[in-house]
Amino acid sequence: MTRPLLSRRRPHVHTRPLFLCRACGAKWPCQPARLVLLAMYQDDRQGLRLYLARKLLTALADQPRGDAVTLAVHFLGWLPEEN
């Protein structure tokens, strides 16, 4: 019963080369990671886009046979539009 509590407290960071979340096993950025990233970069959305773009480039290098469009949509497609 303590396992779920521990996994909720573990940071939702990626593992390489597949970019899966260490805490929940979902594709990174998973939903909890997205919420944390939005909070961390709440005053710097452009910085968040640049950070995720760098992670995307790393993922593309790690997964050269992966679908670049699918990865790009997953990494960047969830971001709110800028006003």
Side-chain angles (χ1 to χ4, degrees), residues 49 80-83:
R49 282 179 171 71
E81 289 190 29
E82 293 219 15
N83 296 328

Side-chain angles (χ1 to χ4, degrees), residues 17-18 56-68 71:
L18 298 178
L56 170 61
L57 291 174
T58 302
L60 289 168
D62 285 354
Q63 303 169 43
R65 295 183 185 191
D67 180 27
L71 279 173

Side-chain angles (χ1 to χ4, degrees), residues 43-81:
D43 295 326
D44 186 14
R45 293 300 163 92
Q46 190 62 29
L48 176 57
R49 282 179 171 71
L50 290 171
Y51 172 75
L52 289 171
R54 285 192 305 269
K55 294 295 182 183
L56 170 61
L57 291 174
T58 302
L60 289 168
D62 285 354
Q63 303 169 43
R65 295 183 185 191
D67 180 27
V69 173
T70 301
L71 279 173
V73 168
H74 180 74
F75 273 79
L76 301 168
W78 61 272
L79 291 168
E81 289 190 29

Side-chain angles (χ1 to χ4, degrees), residues 7-27:
S7 67
R8 276 189 260 152
R9 292 183 183 172
R10 291 177 59 187
H12 289 263
V13 296
H14 64 80
T15 60
R16 289 179 65 189
L18 298 178
F19 276 79
L20 298 177
C21 177
R22 286 184 190 217
C24 67
K27 290 181 183 178

